[in-house]
Amino acid sequence: TLAHISLLTDQTGYSFGAVGVLQDITELRKLDQLRRDFVANVSHELRTPLTSVQGYVEAMLDRAIPGEDQDKYLTIIHRETLRLKKLIYDLLDLSRIESRKERWDMNEIDVPELVDQVLVKLRPLIKKQQVTVDRYFPDQLPPMLGNEDRIEQVLVNLLDNAVKFSCPGGKVTVRAQAQDDNITVSIADQGPGIPPEDLEHIWERFHRVEKSRSRALGGTGLGLAIARQIVEAHGGKVSVQSEAGQGSTFSFTMKTVPAEI
Ligand code: ADP
């Protein structure tokens, strides 16, 4: 706690009182710590791929890599460069969404149609992971109110994780249901699940259950943070349920398009 105390004096210098201001700076300090953690995380995330690119390029310039291995190293350099690019784009995107300065057009979103569109995009990954995706939508599902491009991004991030963290032969299930003027989309997988101690932090930037596994899978650690910011900027809510070893279910709830009167 920070305290400022001033004595109140009259023209003759006689003190007739005092004013004290107490300010609770726990919140400020917490914010400052969060900001510092974020900068440290970003620096680390940027440095890791850069260091490996630098190392491989230097080895090649030193002619330390035999001709037949060159493609292998160039492939690594290329992969790390793409990671850096994705990381920077994701960071810029996140800060744009968080600042709430963007104006989004609101669309009537046909959820089953948008899910199918996303599944087409993810087809190569789904095939590679040998995952099957089931979809269940009620017949009379009302449209969702939101910015279609941004909601597509939420679906991509959640579905990409569900498929990425699935075991070969696993199943991912997408559902949507409407209640009152809310519509909830959920994505369930049969992957490794998330331990209880990670569950409440999972939507934070760069929080990962297993850092090495996530990086090996090409993740930036920002996908869930971006999804959450997009949903919350619409006034919606995200949630997650999971038990280690039992798979995970990520959901988000948004408003439906109001029925015409
Ligand atoms: P990443 O780019 O690492 O996937 P995300 O923000 O999308 O970043 O996810 C953060 C972390 O949450 C992941 O690294 C992983 O540890 C965990 N996670 C996300 N989705 C799942 C899932 N469907 N099953 C298990 N763990 C998950």
Side-chain angles (χ1 to χ4, degrees):
T1 311
L2 211 61
H4 302 279
I5 297 180
S6 318
L7 280 181
L8 300 173
T9 46
D10 65 13
Q11 286 113 329
T12 63
Y14 173 76
S15 300
F16 60 91
V19 179
V21 179
L22 295 177
Q23 192 185 5
D24 187 355
I25 58 165
T26 352
E27 278 305 310
L28 281 178
R29 211 172 266 153
K30 243 188 253 163
L31 268 179
D32 196 47
Q33 186 59 44
L34 276 179
R35 191 184 53 76
R36 257 181 292 162
D37 289 350
F38 178 63
V39 173
N41 276 329
V42 171
S43 315
H44 177 77
E45 297 293 331
L46 292 173
R47 202 159 46 209
T48 314
L50 258 182
T51 306
S52 85
V53 167
Q54 183 189 358
Y56 289 124
V57 169
E58 283 173 4
M60 290 182 86
L61 287 173
D62 288 347
R63 308 285 181 259
I65 308 229
E68 66 268 26
D69 285 342
Q70 297 219 346
D71 276 5
K72 197 170 94 197
Y73 288 93
L74 283 173
T75 306
I76 301 175
I77 292 169
H78 185 233
R79 195 186 60 211
E80 294 298 291
T81 313
L82 291 179
R83 253 176 71 72
L84 272 174
K85 185 171 152 189
K86 178 154 180 21
L87 187 61
I88 290 164
Y89 274 73
D90 277 2
L91 277 170
L92 289 174
D93 212 21
L94 189 60
S95 91
R96 252 198 310 264
I97 301 164
E98 277 181 330
S99 70
R100 306 275 159 100
K101 280 193 190 129
E102 259 178 42
R103 265 191 59 84
W104 295 340
D105 296 332
M106 285 297 157
N107 314 115
E108 287 190 19
I109 303 171
D110 180 329
V111 174
E113 203 179 287
L114 190 59
V115 167
D116 284 347
Q117 216 170 291
V118 170
L119 290 176
V120 170
K121 280 193 183 170
L122 294 180
R123 210 179 270 160
L125 179 71
I126 293 171
K127 213 168 152 201
K128 184 173 146 239
Q129 294 285 98
Q130 302 170 348
V131 167
T132 38
V133 182
D134 288 342
R135 13 186 321 293
Y136 298 98
F137 301 114
D139 287 339
Q140 298 292 323
L141 193 70
M144 177 186 276
L145 181 65
N147 180 273
E148 182 149 345
D149 291 338
R150 289 299 186 176
I151 295 304
E152 175 176 344
Q153 200 179 357
V154 173
L155 286 168
V156 167
N157 290 2
L158 298 182
L159 273 164
D160 181 88
N161 279 345
V163 175
K164 203 167 67 176
F165 289 104
S166 282
C167 317
K171 196 157 75 178
V172 169
T173 310
V174 188
R175 291 173 206 272
Q177 71 193 61
Q179 198 181 19
D180 303 327
D181 57 348
N182 292 317
I183 175 165
T184 300
V185 181
S186 66
I187 293 153
D189 66 59
Q190 302 171 322
I194 298 158
E197 63 271 23
D198 289 293
L199 219 44
E200 57 175 319
H201 299 292
I202 207 72
W203 302 95
E204 291 167 13
R205 302 175 272 201
F206 299 122
H207 188 91
R208 294 175 171 121
V209 175
E210 254 181 79
K211 289 204 187 301
S212 54
R213 180 177 60 190
S214 158
R215 286 216 194 86
L217 292 170
T220 61
L222 293 171
L224 288 181
I226 291 176
R228 175 190 177 174
Q229 288 296 331
I230 292 174
V231 170
E232 290 185 353
H234 280 91
K237 273 200 159 18
V238 293
S239 73
V240 58
Q241 284 170 322
S242 180
E243 261 174 70
Q246 302 286 317
S248 319
T249 303
F250 286 83
S251 351
F252 65 101
T253 300
M254 300 265 298
K255 289 288 172 222
T256 56
V257 175
E260 276 177 48
I261 322 160

